[in-house]
Amino acid sequence: DQQVKQNSPSLSVQEGRISILNCDYTNSMFDYFLWYKKYPAEGPTFLISISSIKDKNEDGRFTVFLNKSAKHLSLHIVPSQPGDSAVYFCAASAEGSNYKLTFGKGTLLTVNP
Amino acid sequence: SQTIHQWPATLVQPVGSPLSLECTVEGTSNPNLYWYRQAAGRGLQLLFYSVGIGQISSEVPQNLSASRPQDRQFILSSKKLLLSDSGFYLCAWSRLAGPQETQYFGPGTRLLVL
């Protein structure tokens, strides 16, 4: 049972445009959500997170939106840059789970110059 | 600042051989520590986590084991590797306090079992 789903394995956008990466979850106990960026043969790098008490968190070009009723979150990157090309993982944790993260399978973002 | 190290970076091992991967964290005390595996074309799967020295929780049944001999050292081991153990192994840490803590990952070890 996959509790965190990233249904788009890949996404291609033009430089300067908006990239929207989506993530759905099924476990209503999740209360903390994170996005990681991963280059090949490297460890994931933390990008941005959001608590379930918020519906939006912004950090520079990155904004995460959370829709709890739909159990859906999205990562917006504006403007997209070629250096943003990487695999993006959505992850979630639930209070009392010893901070264990459940990851989606990732979405490969390609930003074309 | 905190840093996390993993070694080796790459490892090629024959089936049936033993395994030892090491992870160390600097710049923090009493971290939670985690081992993940990313198999080809798949997401990150949590293998083990530890909330303190000698305290190991296993998430999936397998022929791997983990140990935490020191506060900031986490070791992943196997007595006999299988072909299916090939993958990218990641160590991560998070602070112990707080209900919502971010995990920070090391550079990873690429393991190829032949």
Side-chain angles (χ1 to χ4, degrees):
Chain A
D1 177 32
Q2 198 177 350
Q3 298 185 61
V4 177
K5 299 177 184 178
Q6 294 177 256
N7 292 319
S8 297
S10 63
L11 174 68
S12 182
V13 300
Q14 286 300 118
E15 182 177 5
R17 298 291 187 98
I18 184 172
S19 296
I20 300 177
L21 298 147
N22 294 303
C23 179
D24 298 292
Y25 61 96
T26 58
N27 187 344
S28 58
M29 299 302 291
F30 287 147
D31 60 1
Y32 188 53
F33 304 89
L34 309 91
W35 284 95
Y36 287 84
K37 173 183 179 181
K38 184 181 181 301
Y39 293 117
E42 293 185 10
T45 302
F46 170 70
L47 272 178
I48 193 168
S49 62
I50 188 167
S51 165
S52 58
I53 62 173
K54 295 184 176 181
D55 54 19
K56 177 183 176 182
N57 188 25
E58 193 171 355
D59 183 2
R61 296 187 298 114
F62 302 93
T63 303
V64 56
F65 295 92
L66 176 62
N67 182 334
K68 281 178 292 183
S69 61
K71 293 191 177 65
H72 176 83
L73 66 156
S74 60
L75 174 68
H76 292 209
I77 306 174
V78 183
S80 301
Q81 300 173 353
D84 296 329
S85 298
V87 176
Y88 288 77
F89 289 99
C90 169
S93 69
E95 187 172 355
S97 67
N98 272 321
Y99 323 125
K100 292 185 291 183
L101 291 180
T102 301
F103 283 84
K105 291 188 175 181
T107 296
L108 173 61
L109 172 65
T110 302
V111 180
N112 301 303
Chain B
S1 64
Q2 299 84 13
T3 56
I4 179 168
H5 304 279
Q6 286 186 246
W7 62 90
T10 305
L11 190 60
V12 181
Q13 291 284 94
V15 169
S17 64
L19 173 74
S20 181
L21 303 181
E22 190 164 345
C23 169
T24 58
V25 182
E26 296 177 359
T28 187
S29 297
N30 300 318
N32 278 4
L33 295 172
Y34 309 83
W35 277 112
Y36 288 86
R37 176 171 60 202
Q38 183 185 16
R42 303 182 69 176
L44 278 69
Q45 180 186 34
L46 179 64
L47 302 175
F48 301 94
Y49 71 93
S50 171
V51 299
I53 295 175
Q55 301 180 61
I56 309 294
S57 296
S58 174
E59 286 295 296
V60 291
Q62 59 210 322
N63 69 320
L64 299 171
S65 62
S67 61
R68 185 169 177 174
Q70 300 180 44
D71 180 46
R72 290 170 289 176
Q73 184 184 30
F74 205 22
I75 296 173
L76 183 69
S77 304
S78 174
K79 293 182 178 178
K80 288 185 178 182
L81 283 169
L82 306 173
L83 286 173
S84 57
D85 292 323
S86 293
F88 192 51
Y89 288 83
L90 291 156
C91 180
W93 75 273
S94 67
R95 289 181 180 82
L96 191 59
Q100 295 177 340
E101 288 292 345
T102 298
Q103 291 182 19
Y104 299 94
F105 286 82
T109 294
R110 183 164 300 283
L111 171 66
L112 180 60
V113 182
L114 300 176

